[in-house]
């Protein structure tokens, strides 16, 4: 049965998508069956895997409004073991269309049910907001993985996210756990990066992953080639870091 992990942080550009795509690719490489589910209307995870969001006839949008079963829309990717449930710009409409629907927060959870036996991991990439799409992802998830960008002091925004997670726990998904915090875009030359690492390790000593993702040009280039770092530049510092994060994720499972 798949473990469902949502990557969430309402702050934009912190590495949610980069982490979802690259962790997904390394987990698949380690022999796990992985589904990457793109819940962001920007569809960056979709395009990072080489799928053109503008040519998609259907996407996770159709799943959310109940027009298609999720299994029909799963596509294979160039990475063996890594499947994609793509997003498209239409997903932006779902934010609004879901509002009057009964059980609107549990749409994704229900739609995913039949897919769970087929995978070891479902990674859900979420948009930079705490709206209906993210709430659906948190309601469908067993755990939340929170990327933290080392270039901003994160604690204030993090409080808001943890509060939302707590609300989802109380009303919709009592078993939702925090899978971990991942420090991203680390630049050892800046005091700020070191300060963020120190602060996060102090406040969250158990849940923060030891692996730190450095700022790496290769990581920012790979999406425009439609490839994860594991094929684009596996020996780069970014590739090595995501491989190490993947090992930690697998270790925590034991
Ligand atoms: P959004 O909130 O808009 O969905 P996000 O949290 O998903 O953003 P990403 O898209 O993963 O963040 O990253 C933001 C930008 O930074 C992207 O251009 C990405 O390629 C780049 N980036 C992510 N991680 C790194 C890194 N470790 N080193 C260098 N660039 C990175
Ligand atoms: Mg993103």
């Amino acid at each position: 049965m798949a473990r469902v992990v949502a990557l969430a942080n309402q702050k934009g550009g912190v590495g949610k998508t980069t982490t979802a795509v690259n962790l997904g690719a390394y987990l698949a490489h380690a022999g796990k069956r992985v589904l990457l589910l793109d819940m962001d209307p920007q569809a960056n995870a979709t395009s990072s895997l080489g799928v053109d969001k503008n040519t998609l006839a259907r996407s996770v949008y159709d799943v959310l409004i109940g027009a298609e079963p999720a299994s029909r829309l799963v596509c294979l990717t160039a990475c063996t073991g890594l499947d994609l449930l793509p997003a498209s710009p239409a997903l932006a409409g779902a934010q609004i269309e879901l509002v009057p629907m009964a059980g609107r927060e549990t749409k994704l959870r229900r739609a995913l049910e039949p897919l769970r036996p087929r995978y070891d991991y479902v990674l859900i990439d979420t948009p930079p907001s705490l709206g209906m799409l993210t709430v659906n992802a948190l309601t469908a998830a067993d755990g939340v993985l929170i990327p933290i960008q080392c270039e901003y002091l994160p604690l204030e925004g993090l409080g808001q996210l943890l509060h939302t997670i707590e609300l989802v726990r109380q009303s919709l998904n009592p078993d939702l756990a925090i899978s971990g915090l991942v420090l991203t875009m680390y630049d050892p030359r800046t005091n700020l990066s070191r300060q963020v690492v120190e602060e996060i390790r102090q406040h969250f000593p158990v849940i923060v992953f030891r692996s730190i993702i450095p700022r790496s040009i290769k990581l920012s280039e790979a999406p425009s080639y439609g490839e994860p770092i594991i094929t684009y530049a596996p020996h780069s510092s970014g590739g090595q870091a995501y491989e190490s994060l993947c090992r930690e994720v697998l270790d925590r499972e034991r």
Side-chain angles (χ1 to χ4, degrees), residues 222-238:
S224 41
Y225 295 89
E227 282 188 51
I229 199 73
I230 192 173
T231 55
Y232 181 70
H235 303 296
S236 62
S237 59

Side-chain angles (χ1 to χ4, degrees), residues 81-101:
L82 179 63
D83 292 352
L84 171 72
L85 189 48
S88 66
L91 193 52
Q95 294 269 30
I96 298 142
E97 287 166 56
L98 284 174
V99 169
M101 292 189 186

Side-chain angles (χ1 to χ4, degrees), residues 84-224:
L84 171 72
L85 189 48
S88 66
L91 193 52
Q95 294 269 30
I96 298 142
E97 287 166 56
L98 284 174
V99 169
M101 292 189 186
R104 61 193 174 185
E105 296 94 352
T106 53
K107 293 285 176 200
L108 186 66
R109 183 194 192 106
R110 285 158 201 265
L112 263 184
E113 219 43 66
L115 282 180
R116 287 188 70 159
R118 297 194 209 166
Y119 293 99
D120 299 305
Y121 286 93
V122 177
L123 302 180
I124 309 178
D125 189 25
T126 67
S129 86
L130 296 172
M132 196 49 71
L133 295 172
T134 299
V135 168
N136 261 270
L138 294 176
T139 304
D142 302 304
V144 196
L145 205 137
I146 306 172
I148 310 269
Q149 183 182 7
C150 292
E151 291 162 353
Y152 286 90
L153 286 176
L155 286 177
E156 193 177 318
L158 207 52
Q160 237 178 61
L161 176 58
L162 296 177
H163 179 64
T164 303
I165 291 170
E166 191 47 44
L167 291 179
V168 170
R169 254 190 215 132
Q170 282 168 18
S171 55
L172 298 158
N173 186 6
D175 298 326
L176 180 63
I178 297 190
S179 307
L181 308 184
V182 186
L183 294 157
T184 64
M185 302 186 208
Y186 179 73
D187 180 347
R189 294 167 303 182
T190 69
N191 288 332
L192 183 55
S193 265
R194 291 197 298 270
Q195 205 179 329
V196 170
V197 171
E198 203 173 293
E199 196 166 300
I200 289 290
R201 286 189 164 157
Q202 206 173 340
H203 276 79
F204 306 97
V206 179
I207 56 174
V208 63
F209 284 99
R210 274 175 285 113
S211 311
I212 295 180
I213 313 301
R215 190 159 257 297
S216 141
I217 306 247
K218 295 285 181 202
L219 279 175
S220 59
E221 285 172 357
S224 41

Side-chain angles (χ1 to χ4, degrees), residues 11-18 38 40 42-45 125-128:
K11 179 154 171 39
V14 298
K16 295 180 286 295
T17 302
T18 304
D38 192 351
D40 185 352
Q42 298 176 95
N44 292 335
D125 189 25
T126 67

